[in-house]
Amino acid sequence: MDFIKHPWPWYVAGPLIGLIVPALLLLGNKTFGISSSLRHICAACIPANISFFKYDWRKESWNLFFAAGIVLGGFIANYFLSYSAPVKINPATVVLLKQQGVKDFNGLLPHDIFSLKELFTLRGFVFIVIGGFLVGFGTRYAGGCTSGHAIMGISSLQLPSLVATCCFMIGGFVMTWFILPYLLQL
């Protein structure tokens, strides 16, 4: 039981995630992805006459069970299988982040940015609210999230997913090296 509480190495976890794609395709011709779940929920719950929500969401209802399983799995992992050791971060990264004002490395996310107390500061509002909005907007605008494009799209040889994944990586590098240092100073 102890092995499940420790982080699994990339060469075990990565192939397991990657094997979900062919399993879904072989078992039910389903595509891996979670970012469309909110659209399915809105289509099921909002009786408005909005064309974006007028489709047969019942055909995609399996995706809602998939999303519920992810939430349940996250809850179980966090409350019953959590790993209490600090997250391993490269020491050079720790030094760099400390120079930029990030000092708390005790959890999965730094509490001096991502906490309820920080939500009411300018920096916390930018990271949590504006950042969350941009992630949601970008996911819908790109026709899927990073996982959907990188795992499902590339493995099924879709050129738009390759382009989207390259753009995600470029955006991540630009954000990390050129924008994040300024946002951390807010």
Side-chain angles (χ1 to χ4, degrees), residues 7-92:
W8 292 0
W10 62 268
Y11 51 84
V12 174
L16 284 176
I17 293 171
L19 289 174
I20 290 174
V21 173
L24 286 172
L25 288 173
L26 292 172
L27 294 176
N29 199 23
K30 308 290 186 198
T31 57
F32 177 79
I34 188 135
S35 60
S36 59
S37 298
L38 181 60
R39 182 181 183 208
H40 302 325
I41 292 170
C42 291
C45 298
I46 298 174
N49 192 16
I50 301 171
S51 62
F52 186 69
F53 297 134
K54 292 173 94 176
Y55 66 97
D56 188 11
W57 61 268
R58 288 175 184 82
K59 286 176 56 179
E60 302 296 328
S61 61
W62 73 273
N63 193 278
L64 299 177
F65 288 102
F66 181 71
I70 290 173
V71 171
L72 179 63
F75 177 81
I76 291 171
N78 186 47
Y79 287 100
F80 302 111
L81 303 172
S82 61
Y83 183 63
S84 59
V87 176
K88 294 178 184 171
I89 302 173
N90 185 312

Side-chain angles (χ1 to χ4, degrees), residues 129-152:
V129 177
I130 295 176
F133 171 78
L134 289 175
V135 168
F137 176 79
T139 297
R140 288 308 321 158
Y141 191 69
C145 64
T146 53
S147 299
H149 279 296
I151 297 171
M152 181 66 205

